[in-house]
Amino acid sequence: MKKKTIVIVDDHLLFAQSLESLVSQLEDYEVLAILKNGKELTQYYLHKRKTPDLILLDVKMPVMDGIQTMQWLKENKPDQKVLALTMEDDEETIIKMLRAGAKGYLLKDIHPENFEFAMKMVIEQGFYYSGKIESALRHSGNYEDKNFHEKLTEREWEFLKLACSELTYRDIAKEMNLSPKTIENYRETVFKKLQVKTRVGLVIYCMKNKLFKVE
């Protein structure tokens, strides 16, 4: 059986080596390279080395960080699957990585068994989220139910599209010529209608249901 190939991009050498050891112990995977930042990854591709099935990408790195790396991949290697593996769990960073094309976002304290499952899901299914992000997606309804978004008004749709951008809620208020309080009301209403709990959950909902292109 052909092994799935992995490239690790992380500037913390000790962690990267530990991760390589973990991946190498898995029967179905092998590590092609350990790189210290996004710049080294671009050089990896320029030398026409083997394209991996999956990149495990840190977010905070010197020279070329995870977000910059994702932006480069989006332009140059749009089909490359990437799983972010980081300590950064703030909403803004997560949304930037998702918008740039990351197919999964894990925190480094994830259990090894869940980590293996996450790699498998991203390679085979295209998406995987856990921890804080997974909790953002939990709701009582069916995630794939297309009827949820049909309940939105025209202005709620406008809010939804802006909420999936990098604008702050204050910026969205200015864009829609509304008060911050009104935007807060829109947020609560849309969250309730789509049955998501956070802005990250909202972005993933739109991506998975292809309501519109998240760029």
Side-chain angles (χ1 to χ4, degrees):
M1 180 177 174
K2 184 180 177 182
K3 290 190 175 185
K4 301 297 184 182
T5 54
I6 307 293
V7 165
I8 298 169
V9 185
D10 195 307
D11 65 309
H12 294 96
L13 185 59
L14 184 61
F15 176 81
Q17 290 177 336
S18 297
L19 189 58
E20 178 188 28
S21 177
L22 173 62
V23 173
S24 297
Q25 289 174 27
L26 302 175
E27 183 178 352
D28 298 331
Y29 298 89
E30 65 174 325
V31 176
L32 298 179
I34 296 178
L35 309 172
K36 292 193 292 290
N37 53 61
K39 187 66 175 178
E40 289 194 1
L41 181 64
T42 65
Q43 294 300 312
Y44 175 94
Y45 284 113
L46 289 175
H47 285 89
K48 297 183 179 179
R49 298 179 65 185
K50 184 177 180 180
T51 298
D53 292 303
L54 180 67
I55 293 175
L56 299 176
L57 180 67
D58 193 10
V59 175
K60 288 291 181 71
M61 298 179 292
V63 185
M64 188 172 177
D65 66 20
I67 294 171
Q68 293 170 322
T69 303
M70 284 306 310
Q71 291 168 343
W72 185 90
L73 288 169
K74 192 173 184 179
E75 291 182 8
N76 297 276
K77 295 286 183 178
D79 295 328
Q80 177 65 68
K81 292 179 179 177
V82 178
L83 179 57
L85 189 60
T86 179
M87 294 302 295
E88 307 299 321
D89 66 348
D90 64 282
E91 187 176 77
E92 181 181 358
T93 300
I94 294 170
I95 290 175
K96 283 182 177 179
M97 289 295 287
L98 297 180
R99 282 166 47 82
K103 301 303 182 184
Y105 198 105
L106 302 177
L107 298 183
K108 288 183 175 179
D109 61 357
I110 187 171
H111 190 280
E113 288 184 4
N114 293 336
F115 170 64
E116 181 181 1
F117 179 71
M119 290 197 298
K120 178 181 173 67
M121 289 298 292
V122 171
I123 291 173
E124 296 182 2
Q125 304 296 326
F127 280 96
Y128 180 81
Y129 303 98
S130 73
K132 180 178 179 180
I133 302 175
E134 187 176 84
S135 67
L137 298 178
R138 293 197 189 106
H139 50 71
S140 58
N142 182 350
Y143 187 76
E144 300 297 333
D145 187 349
K146 299 295 189 284
N147 292 325
F148 282 136
H149 66 272
E150 293 175 1
K151 300 176 183 178
L152 301 183
T153 66
E154 184 175 344
R155 288 292 267 174
E156 287 167 353
W157 264 104
E158 184 179 354
F159 167 80
L160 179 63
K161 291 179 181 180
L162 293 172
C164 288
S165 73
E166 294 181 15
L167 296 176
T168 65
Y169 284 125
R170 187 173 294 276
D171 292 335
I172 293 173
K174 292 179 180 178
E175 184 73 20
M176 295 182 68
N177 294 313
L178 297 171
S179 69
K181 179 62 177 176
T182 302
I183 290 299
E184 185 177 326
N185 291 336
Y186 270 119
R187 180 189 66 196
E188 296 304 316
T189 300
V190 171
F191 280 12
K192 185 175 181 180
K193 285 185 176 182
L194 300 186
Q195 295 187 311
V196 297
K197 296 180 179 180
T198 70
R199 191 173 177 179
V200 172
L202 193 68
V203 172
I204 298 173
Y205 178 93
C206 291
M207 291 172 66
K208 279 205 164 187
N209 286 290
K210 299 179 181 179
L211 301 189
F212 49 82
K213 189 175 181 181
V214 180
E215 300 187 35

